[in-house]
């Protein structure tokens, strides 16, 4: 691609930190279409404040992909809703690794969704059950209408990826999304990452945690939403059923056989929650 897509550092932060994850042909082609020539100040400041940031993003994404793998083992065909999709090419991963296994993939975000669609269509020539929706996730009335228009069928099992969502919206807004997507049989599976409240973080990791929150507040001019595990448990119980929590130390050990970056629950800033909905 001659003219690469230029996007703000906040939008490409996750791509910068998770770059080693994108190894397939489609993912490489997609990443090559993004302009990384300018140094991201946010990425630089986060790395200084919290050196394991790349490991946090990497293992968070591996955890999401593992949930998808397990779900695909249980269902011949699934819907996938990616809420707060950002620039992450998760749908490309799905198309490459699970061809014909998704009835539809719906990406929803309130920024850069058209630009992302353009890369998929013009650069990668992607065809398949892909839908790109520009929508504020907290506008559940519009979200419901757009999902229906994209072909989302509540009666069919779905994986719902809430990655990078609850950090920037209120818990009540998240509950409203759950209410929109809940099914009587609870046959949807949600995967959520959340930022840990300070009281959940071991003393030997608190300085990283505080520094990270400070950098985010400075660059994004907003206070991230932090939660205890009990708060997430109570939140999920409003409409869903918690299946399990997965600390990053468990994810790292699962994929590498050891703990190099994260040694105990509470290390890593974020944790994962998986729940039926």
């Amino acid at each position: 691609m001659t003219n690469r897509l230029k996007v703000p550092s906040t939008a490409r932060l996750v791509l910068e930190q998770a770059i080693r994850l994108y190894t397939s042909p489609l993912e490489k082609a997609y990443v090559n279409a993004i302009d990384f020539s300018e140094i991201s100040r946010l990425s630089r400041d986060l790395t200084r404040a919290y050196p394991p940031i790349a490991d946090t993003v990497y293992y968070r994404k591996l955890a999401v992909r593992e949930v998808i793998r397990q779900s695909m083992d249980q269902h011949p065909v699934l819907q996938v809703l990616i809420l707060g999709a950002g620039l992450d090419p998760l749908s490309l991963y799905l198309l490459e690794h699970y061809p014909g296994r998704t009835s539809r993939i719906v990406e929803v975000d309130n920024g850069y969704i058209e630009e992302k669609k353009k890369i998929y269509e013009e650069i990668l020539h992607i065809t398949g059950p892909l839908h790109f929706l520009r929508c504020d996730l907290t506008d559940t009335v519009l979200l419901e209408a757009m999902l229906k228009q994209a072909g989302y069928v509540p009666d069919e099992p779905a994986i719902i990826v809430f990655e990078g969502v609850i950090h920037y919206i209120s818990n009540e807004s998240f509950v409203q999304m759950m209410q929109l997507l809940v099914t009587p049989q609870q046959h949807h599976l949600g995967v959520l990452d959340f930022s840990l409240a300070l009281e959940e973080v071991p003393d030997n990791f608190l300085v990283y945690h505080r520094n990270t929150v400070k950098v985010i507040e400075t660059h994004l001019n907003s206070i991230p939403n932090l939660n205890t595990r009990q708060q997430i448990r109570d939140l999920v119980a409003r409409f869903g059923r918690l299946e399990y929590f997965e600390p990053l130390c468990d994810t790292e050990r699962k994929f590498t056989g050891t703990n190099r970056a994260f040694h105990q629950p509470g290390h890593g800033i974020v944790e994962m929650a998986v729940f039926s909905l």
Side-chain angles (χ1 to χ4, degrees):
M1 181 180 180
T2 304
N3 298 313
R4 294 182 173 183
L5 177 64
K6 295 179 84 63
V7 293
S9 60
T10 52
R12 66 175 193 266
L13 171 65
V14 171
L15 291 180
E16 290 176 319
Q17 297 296 341
I19 200 75
R20 57 179 159 150
L21 184 68
Y22 308 127
T23 58
S24 71
L26 285 184
E27 289 171 321
K28 286 181 177 178
Y30 173 80
V31 169
N32 285 337
I34 307 293
D35 187 350
F36 290 95
S37 61
E38 296 179 7
I39 297 174
S40 166
R41 184 178 176 185
L42 173 58
S43 183
R44 182 194 65 200
D45 289 352
L46 269 177
T47 301
R48 287 176 176 174
Y50 173 44
I53 180 64
D55 289 320
T56 288
V57 175
Y58 177 71
Y59 288 120
R60 182 181 81 172
K61 292 193 170 298
L62 280 181
V64 170
R65 293 183 177 198
E66 177 64 11
V67 171
I68 290 172
R69 184 195 66 78
Q70 292 175 356
S71 297
M72 289 293 182
D73 287 345
Q74 297 173 9
H75 300 278
V77 179
L78 280 169
Q79 304 177 98
V80 182
L81 308 183
I82 307 173
L83 305 184
L87 291 174
D88 185 74
L90 179 59
S91 56
L92 298 182
Y93 170 82
L94 288 164
L95 291 172
E96 284 191 295
H97 290 81
Y98 304 101
R101 299 288 305 280
T102 54
S103 57
R104 63 196 52 83
I105 303 170
V106 183
E107 294 201 19
V108 186
D109 205 283
N110 200 29
Y112 298 97
I113 201 74
E114 292 90 354
E115 292 86 346
K116 188 176 187 180
K117 180 181 180 181
K118 182 178 180 181
I119 295 176
Y120 277 40
E121 292 178 344
E122 296 186 7
I123 307 302
L124 305 179
H125 309 292
I126 294 301
T127 59
L130 271 172
H131 305 269
F132 297 86
L133 309 181
R134 184 180 180 90
C135 182
D136 183 340
L137 294 176
T138 63
D139 187 346
T140 53
V141 174
L142 178 59
L143 179 60
E144 181 178 25
M146 295 187 78
L147 287 175
K148 183 177 180 180
Q149 187 177 13
Y152 163 64
V153 181
D155 291 340
E156 296 179 9
I159 302 170
I160 306 174
V161 180
F162 297 98
E163 187 182 4
V165 171
I166 201 171
H167 314 282
Y168 307 109
I169 65 173
S170 69
N171 285 2
E172 192 55 40
S173 292
F174 185 79
V175 167
Q176 290 173 6
M177 276 194 289
M178 290 178 60
Q179 185 176 13
L180 170 64
L181 298 165
V182 66
T183 64
Q185 304 86 2
Q186 293 189 334
H187 58 212
H188 290 351
L189 192 67
V191 54
L192 164 74
D193 68 311
F194 63 98
S195 298
L196 288 162
L198 290 175
E199 56 264 42
E200 299 278 26
V201 180
D203 290 344
N204 60 356
F205 225 84
L206 270 175
V207 63
Y208 283 156
H209 198 292
R210 290 196 175 103
N211 288 346
T212 301
V213 170
K214 187 179 298 183
V215 169
I216 292 173
E217 289 177 350
T218 300
H219 281 271
L220 303 185
N221 197 29
S222 65
I223 300 175
N225 180 14
L226 309 181
N227 282 276
T228 65
R229 297 181 187 93
Q230 187 59 51
Q231 285 175 309
I232 295 297
R233 186 178 285 109
D234 293 343
L235 181 153
V236 167
R238 297 273 294 274
F239 290 101
R241 182 182 71 252
L242 181 70
E243 300 295 339
Y244 60 89
F245 286 116
E246 182 168 305
L248 285 185
C249 60
D250 289 358
T251 305
E252 182 183 28
R253 186 167 59 251
K254 180 192 302 183
F255 285 99
T256 69
T258 188
N259 290 104
R260 180 187 58 82
F262 312 114
H263 299 277
Q264 63 188 103
H267 284 186
I269 309 298
V270 302
E271 286 194 1
M272 308 296 299
V274 178
F275 55 96
S276 298
L277 191 61

